[in-house]
């Protein structure tokens, strides 16, 4: 993905190819030094990359500056979701989570909604971000700095049953912006233990970008949940489900070959043009050339 890595990042994101790896930090660093000495890796400014790709280092530095601005914009927009009921977590995903952004990058997020209210949560989140003018619409080809609402799960259905090396790398890099239940990280990792079939290590979620919920938004969201934890909320959930299902079914993007679009009361996913299959095919071809394919 045209992104050189620091030494720690190499081992945090190491794929599960070899049966063994150095466990001691000194051994890990020694291994990197050996690879550099053998000419299989090159280094510049603490970044490591494959031979002949030193041009990626200034590119990463440029992307880091862009990313710092984008994460601020994402936090500024997502902050308003604290007012809404049934928002248990909002996690930065994709390039926003890895720092591999450019000027045209949108802001991908994974939303964890309250059980039984996923359609209501999506309706409210979409409406609020639309009013704020920061929502990426489905027909936008390019949407710099817009929030891309492409994935919802619930706090009772944390399993994302999409096991692949591509998705494993996505989920180990998630970063919480909102996390209203401190147990969600451990529960999410337990439910998605398949990730460790593809990567060696699942780092602790970086909480440096988390927005703490202040008193006033918390009271508003709690009052809304009290009101909607009734027959009125059940009616609203069913109405929102019927309305949104009709729109999803009428959208041509839902039926693109290879599209990853699914919708239920447990998960809503909208990746109509996911690069997963293309990236994995190239990755597997490289593994074969290196005699590492399993």
């Amino acid at each position: 993905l045209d992104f050189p890595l620091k030494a720690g990042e190499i081992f945090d994101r190491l794929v599960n190819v070899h049966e063994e790896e150095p466990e001691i930090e000194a051994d890990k660093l020694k291994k990197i030094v050996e690879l550099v000495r053998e000419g299989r890796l090159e280094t510049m400014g603490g970044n490591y990359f494959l031979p002949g790709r030193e041009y990626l280092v200034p590119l990463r530095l440029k992307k880091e500056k862009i990313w710092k601005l984008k994460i601020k914009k994402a936090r500024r927009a997502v902050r308003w979701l604290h007012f809404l009921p049934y928002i248990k977590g909002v996690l930065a995903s994709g390039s926003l989570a890895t720092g591999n952004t450019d000027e045209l990058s949108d802001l991908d997020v994974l939303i964890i909604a309250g059980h039984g209210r996923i359609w209501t949560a999506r309706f409210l989140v979409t409406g609020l971000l639309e009013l704020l003018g920061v929502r990426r619409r489905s027909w936008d080809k390019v949407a710099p700095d817009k929030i891309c609402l492409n994935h919802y799960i619930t706090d009772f259905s944390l399993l994302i049953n999409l096991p692949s090396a591509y998705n494993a790398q996505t989920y180990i890099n998630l970063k919480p912006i909102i996390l209203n239940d401190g147990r969600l990280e451990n529960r999410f990792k337990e439910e998605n233990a398949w990730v460790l079939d593809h990567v060696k290590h699942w780092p602790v979620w970086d909480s440096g970008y988390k927005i703490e919920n202040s008193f006033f938004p918390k009271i508003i969201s709690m009052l809304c949940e009290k009101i909607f934890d009734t027959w009125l909320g059940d009616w609203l959930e069913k109405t929102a489900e019927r309305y949104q299902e009709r729109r999803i079914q009428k959208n041509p993007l839902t039926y693109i070959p290879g599209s990853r679009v699914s919708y239920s009361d447990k998960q809503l996913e909208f990746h109509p043009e996911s690069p997963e299959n293309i990236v994995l095919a190239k990755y597997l071809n490289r593994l074969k050339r290196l005699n590492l394919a399993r």
Side-chain angles (χ1 to χ4, degrees):
L1 299 174
D2 291 334
F3 199 67
L5 297 175
K6 308 290 186 184
E9 292 169 342
I10 291 173
F11 290 98
D12 277 347
R13 304 177 187 185
L14 195 64
V15 296
N16 227 340
V17 175
H18 299 293
E19 293 300 320
E20 298 179 1
E21 64 157 314
E23 293 296 334
I24 302 171
E25 197 67 29
D27 290 339
K28 291 180 178 180
L29 294 174
K30 182 180 178 182
K31 182 63 177 176
I32 292 179
V33 171
E34 288 176 0
L35 291 171
V36 172
R37 189 182 299 121
E38 293 168 3
R40 298 171 69 183
L41 278 183
E42 293 181 359
T43 183
M44 179 190 296
N47 295 280
Y48 294 86
F49 44 88
L50 296 178
R53 308 197 82 198
E54 62 279 352
Y55 62 89
L56 293 180
V57 175
L59 183 60
R60 172 167 180 165
L61 295 175
K62 178 183 177 182
K63 287 180 175 181
E64 284 178 350
K65 291 179 182 178
I66 295 169
W67 173 79
K68 287 178 181 177
L69 295 174
K70 286 186 179 287
I71 197 71
K72 285 181 182 178
K73 291 178 180 179
R75 292 177 81 247
R76 196 180 306 135
V78 168
R79 184 184 301 274
W80 291 95
L81 302 187
H82 270 308
F83 286 91
L84 300 181
Y86 307 119
I87 304 302
K88 306 302 179 183
V90 180
L91 310 177
S93 182
S95 62
L96 181 63
T98 60
N100 194 12
T101 53
D102 59 32
E103 292 90 342
L104 300 180
S105 298
D106 60 7
L107 312 173
D108 287 312
V109 295
L110 167 66
I111 293 181
I112 304 175
H115 172 68
R117 293 292 186 260
I118 193 169
W119 295 101
T120 300
R122 180 174 182 248
F123 177 77
L124 295 172
V125 169
T126 300
L128 179 57
L129 295 185
E130 182 68 28
L131 285 173
L132 294 172
V134 294
R135 179 178 76 92
R136 176 173 185 168
R137 297 183 176 97
S138 61
W139 56 83
D140 290 334
K141 289 294 183 184
V142 179
D145 302 335
K146 295 296 179 73
I147 303 291
C148 188
L149 302 166
N150 54 27
H151 207 163
Y152 294 76
I153 55 177
T154 83
D155 55 348
F156 281 20
S157 51
L158 295 169
L159 172 64
I160 304 175
N161 195 22
L162 297 166
S164 74
Y166 179 91
N167 291 318
Q169 290 290 335
T170 297
Y171 300 135
I172 66 170
N173 286 301
L174 293 173
K175 291 181 173 60
I177 302 176
I178 290 177
L179 201 62
N180 290 329
D181 182 349
R183 299 168 297 178
L184 278 176
E185 177 177 358
N186 287 337
R187 290 179 53 219
F188 182 87
K189 291 181 177 181
E190 288 170 4
E191 290 287 331
N192 294 284
W194 59 262
V195 166
L196 295 174
D197 293 334
H198 300 277
V199 297
K200 290 282 190 183
H201 176 55
W202 198 332
V204 174
W205 280 354
D206 186 346
S207 60
Y209 314 100
K210 186 176 169 221
I211 305 168
E212 296 299 332
N213 197 356
S214 56
F215 178 76
F216 185 59
K218 187 182 294 185
I219 291 297
I220 296 295
S221 64
M222 287 174 62
L223 285 174
C224 289
E225 287 191 19
K226 285 284 186 184
I227 294 170
F228 292 131
D229 283 343
T230 60
W231 65 267
L232 177 62
D234 294 338
W235 174 83
L236 180 60
E237 177 73 6
K238 287 296 180 186
T239 303
E241 179 181 3
R242 286 194 295 268
Y243 171 73
Q244 292 174 58
E245 277 190 341
R246 284 198 298 270
R247 289 180 61 87
I248 294 167
Q249 290 165 0
K250 289 180 180 179
N251 191 335
L253 295 176
T254 302
Y255 308 103
I256 293 175
S259 168
R260 255 179 42 194
V261 174
S262 63
Y263 50 97
S264 71
D265 58 1
K266 294 182 179 179
Q267 176 174 262
L268 304 170
E269 187 193 11
F270 307 100
H271 291 104
E273 296 177 302
S274 171
E276 178 182 358
N277 291 336
I278 295 171
V279 171
L280 282 178
K282 290 182 178 180
Y283 173 67
L284 290 173
N285 282 335
R286 290 189 180 187
L287 286 184
K288 288 176 183 176
R289 290 206 303 269
L290 295 168
N291 294 318
L292 294 172
R294 290 186 292 180

